[in-house]
Amino acid sequence: MSNNGRLVIEGIAIERGGREVVHGVDLVAEPGAITALLGPNGAGKSSLVLALAGTIKASRGSVRLDGADLVGKSPTAIRTAGIATVPEGHRVLKDMTVADNLRVASLLVPRIERPAAVDRVESLFEELTPLRGRLAGSLSGGQQQMLAIGQALVSQPRYLVVDEMSLGLAPIIVRRLVPALRRIAAAGVGVILIEQFTQVALDLASDAYAMAQGRVVVHAPAAELREAPERLEQAYRLA
Amino acid sequence: MILPFIVAGLVLGSLFALSGVGMLVLYRTTGVLNFGYGALGAASAMLAWQLVELRLQPVLAYAIGILAATALSLLFGFLAGPFLATVNTLTKATATLGLALFILGIMLFMWDDKARTLRLPTDTIGFSIGTRITVTQLICLALATAIVIATSIYLQRSPTGTAMRALASDRELASMLGIRVRRVELLAWAVSGALGGISGLLLSSQTRLEPVFLTFIVIPVLAAVVVGRFRSLVGTLVGGLVIGVVQAVSSAFPSTSPFSNATPFVVATLVILYLQRRKVVTIEVAR
Amino acid sequence: MSAITAKSALALATGILLAATLSACVADEGGGANAGGNTSKDELQCGLATGEPATGDPIKVGAIATASGGVDFSSAPKAAAAYFDCVNENGGINGRPIDYSYQDDALDPTKTAQLAAGYAADDSVVGLVGDATFIGCDVANAEYAKADLYSITGVGVPQACFTSSNIAPVNAGPRQSAIQLLQWLEQEGKADAVFQVGLNTQGNGDWVAAGILEYAEANGINIVGTELTDPTETNWLPLIQKIKDSGATSVIIVDPGPITAAILAAVEQQDARGDIIWTCTASCYDAQFGSQIGAYWEGFVANSELQLVDADGEDNELWKSVMDAYAAGDAPRDTFSQAGFLAAKMFTTAVLELDPENITRESVSQAMLGIKNAESDLLCRPWYYGEADEHNANHSTRTAEITDGVFTKLTDCIDSGDPALASILENEQSLGLVG
Ligand SMILES: Nc1ncnc2c1ncn2[C@@H]1O[C@H](COP(=O)(O)OP(=O)(O)OP(=O)(O)O)[C@@H](O)[C@H]1O
Ligand SMILES: [Mg+2]
């Protein structure tokens, strides 16, 4: 059963600290498209991202890509299956150089393809090239976010999950990242974008979900929500 | 005549550094500060001695000793690793005391308290430059330095070395980036076990071939790691050499010799105090 | 690296460890190969030598030995156990077997005191034989004295083992061993400038060092240096420097074998043997020592507190054959083993004199105290117990030197000239304990 290369999340529930914080979420992401995931603080978006990455384990539900269920698989296996995650907070390997950060991410790729994979990322984020020798911890937040997204892209994923892409970054940086994400999606990668700036997310996305209190409360084409942003506020309040 | 003391201090110090590098590689990769490190080296040396007594080809005996230390370390990492990954640094370190006592217990069961020496053919070849230096000492010094440098290069250049550094930097992120955490950790247990085995052999030839003694050699080694601030290989090398030389040279003068054995503590304490002054300390923070 | 999976790593690690353990075990069997005895099991002359197993009421005998904690003296009680087994196979104590066992004090004086109190409180224990302890003679003796319990100790090391009312060691102790090395040097005309090396331990290293100084002073010998080191010392350069600077003609080392071996290795490393005569006390008289210190030390001299293990003689032969027949193959055949054996043999001889129906702690204590003039080719002079506050019956020892990697006889018995033995010698005469 192929699903046409879609990433299908069904009935995912997650417990954290002994308490269920995500209660059965369904979400479908399409290849080559950007899917926005919105929601207020504590809605459970990051928990869902970590479960997708395999860092925490979902207590029920399934995540299917080409028919294989990825729930319970190791982070490495999930990465190999083609899902790359950028956790929130533009996290990078701080005491390693930019070049090493990319090299670490390239270890999943067959040895001979590694330099080319790194080059591809550097051509997407040209700003990183002169910073190769710098420690990642000394970069600005925007540079770190580029590096983090770059790391995710090195292994040529089919799906890219970015948590809080613009949180804490200057608007000028966000303006730089937006076209980059478009290019990534245009190249056929399915993107799940978690954003606090609803506007940014809805401009980019074709499909949008909103979560509140561990549940999906809205699922609609992004264009519809762009026209009627108040629908989101209402849904949050109801939940 | 201070030269013999400096030479002996350099030799011993380089061996502390070699052990320290092994401890550091493991600590950085897995967060485990292995107090059983001296015992691993002791096991390697005792086993090698036993095999040489059995008339096994010495080189083969040393290789088996090193392999055994590697295997012991790997086995402990395999069995205890999943548990160790879930507990804090202090509990991790405490668990390795169990490893130390276990290995020590087996050694005391297998070998009595008689005099033993690990004699190398190179012990008898030497030359004089104001003091006598044997080829064994040169080998110790050269091997320790070479291995420290090789380990640095390995961590810097090789894919698995890079993966180890990534784990040391941010475990969770490294695993999200696709690093096979468990495999890299086991590799670190193996590499550190091998380094422990090599330094155990060399230390036993330069100090005493006794299980208890070699088990406790972990203390100056730990001091060298402290000097390296739990992160720097070069710092650990320098730390080992400084401790070795200060200890030896201070033993040369009647006024300081009663305190020479306290050198590891003194050096480690000074380094900790200095770092506190700059507010960059503690094991937890360094990780 | 991609070839290693966690499982295969585990399998590999386990395999290597198994192979390594196996190889070491094989070595253990071969390693204990010492001069064996020539008497077959059914011809051994133990106790009554009847050839009939003893089946009566067992007689309980105990011992305390330091078997773990970094020191292993258990070869003494192991040899005592072997001899008692042999006695039990040969009519026992007039038909009653000896039920012998020893307990390990793990180099912990608190434990020694506990074990001693345990034996003292257990009335069924009639005596202690073949003890071998590195510590705790003082605390043990306090318990024994209260309970009228006596020990024929195999091996005692610290001073307290030789200044106790209820403990009498078969060995001579490190102080006699050291002084007799000095006497040998004196005889050889090599005692012009003597340097002594030992341990900085209370009631042991200091006691031995004082013995050397006292003898030297009484006999006009020049001790050019005394260096007592910490048991954990590793840096021997200062010591070697001091020995060189002192102009010593001979050196007496009173350290445990492993430390002595480390010192000798450092001396070899510096090629500092020179014309100095290097000697050590009985702690390094051990079958393996010569091969461990290597060819550089050909001619190295050690004292031996009992007969050399490879010598002929009735008791030495019996000891070796009893060990072959009744002890584990890897039980050491060393001086301590001889001492444990001899303690058991003298105990058996004494208790055989008693009425088998009346073997109590009281009667056994009397029999033990009554031992005198006990001759053996393992000793230089007769051994005795006797009522006294100090016991050091063995104060005459032999000297050995390394030839082709093994210890061979250098001199026969030398009687100790330790000035502190005066009261013991006086007692021997006045109470008729020897001769
Ligand atoms: N490590 C943790 N242990 C226990 N509970 C946690 C943990 N992390 C988050 N939670 C809880 O899980 C719930 C969902 O949090 P999560 O971080 O997934 O939400 P979010 O939608 O990403 O919010 P935000 O917009 O603040 O990032 C919250 O109630 C939070 O308190
Ligand atoms: Mg979040």
Side-chain angles (χ1 to χ4, degrees), chain C residues 172 180 305 379-381 393-398 413-416:
Chain C
Q180 279 155 58
E305 296 180 27
L379 297 161
C380 282
R381 51 203 308 288
N394 179 356
H395 45 75
S396 178
T397 60
R398 300 167 171 87
C413 301
I414 300 175
D415 279 333
S416 175

Side-chain angles (χ1 to χ4, degrees), chain A residues 106-232:
Chain A
S106 75
L107 292 178
L108 273 187
V109 178
R111 190 180 285 260
I112 42 164
E113 297 169 20
R114 284 174 197 165
V118 171
D119 284 348
R120 245 191 340 267
V121 169
E122 287 191 347
S123 64
L124 180 64
F125 294 119
E126 282 162 349
E127 300 91 321
L128 294 178
T129 310
L131 302 174
R132 271 182 193 151
R134 288 263 297 276
L135 288 184
S138 71
L139 303 184
S140 72
Q143 291 166 332
Q144 287 182 341
Q145 189 65 295
M146 281 180 215
L147 179 56
I149 296 175
Q151 281 183 304
L153 292 175
V154 169
S155 57
Q156 284 190 289
R158 294 166 59 192
Y159 283 89
L160 173 68
V161 184
V162 186
D163 194 358
E164 305 285 18
M165 181 185 75
S166 57
L167 184 69
L169 301 185
I172 183 168
I173 305 288
V174 179
R175 279 200 292 280
R176 165 73 183 92
L177 290 174
V178 164
L181 269 196
R182 272 211 184 90
R183 271 174 66 190
I184 294 164
V189 176
V191 178
I192 298 179
L193 177 64
I194 291 92
E195 254 301 333
Q196 49 153 1
F197 293 127
T198 312
Q199 206 53 51
V200 173
L202 292 178
D203 280 349
L204 274 167
S206 47
D207 200 16
Y209 290 76
M211 281 177 73
Q213 311 221 334
R215 294 197 164 79
V216 173
V217 290
V218 173
H219 173 204
E224 278 181 28
L225 294 177
R226 251 189 328 253
E227 301 306 318
E230 66 285 355
R231 273 182 65 190
L232 286 173

Side-chain angles (χ1 to χ4, degrees), chain B residues 4 8 47 49-51 53-54 71 75 78 110 113-117 119 132 134 137 160 183 208 210 213 251, chain C residues 1-2 4 6 10 20 23-24 27 71-72 231 233-235 237-238 257-258 262 268-269 271 286 288 292-293 334:
Chain B
L47 190 65
W49 175 86
Q50 187 68 74
L51 295 172
E53 290 294 297
L54 249 182
L75 197 61
F78 185 86
M110 297 221 336
D113 58 347
K114 295 280 151 54
R116 295 185 176 78
T117 52
R119 308 184 55 78
R132 202 177 123 85
T134 63
Q137 287 182 308
T160 48
R183 202 180 278 187
R208 286 167 32 188
E210 285 172 63
F213 178 83
S251 75
Chain C
M1 123 127 191
S2 51
I4 319 170
L10 173 75
S23 60
V71 181
D72 185 0
E233 183 59 71
T234 49
N235 174 9
L237 286 174
E268 177 178 359
Q269 196 275 316
D271 197 10
D286 159 54
Q288 170 181 300
Q292 290 307 304
I293 61 176
D334 55 10

Side-chain angles (χ1 to χ4, degrees), chain A residues 45-47 88 163-164 194:
Chain A
K45 304 174 303 276
S46 295
S47 301
E88 65 187 312
D163 194 358
E164 305 285 18
I194 291 92

Side-chain angles (χ1 to χ4, degrees), chain B residues 81-101:
Chain B
F83 162 73
L84 292 175
T86 63
V87 297
N88 67 24
T89 306
L90 187 62
T91 315
K92 284 186 177 75
T94 313
T96 63
L97 281 180
L99 175 68
L101 292 178

Side-chain angles (χ1 to χ4, degrees), chain C residues 405-418:
Chain C
V406 293
F407 277 115
T408 52
K409 184 169 140 180
L410 184 57
T411 68
D412 224 320
C413 301
I414 300 175
D415 279 333
S416 175
D418 183 358

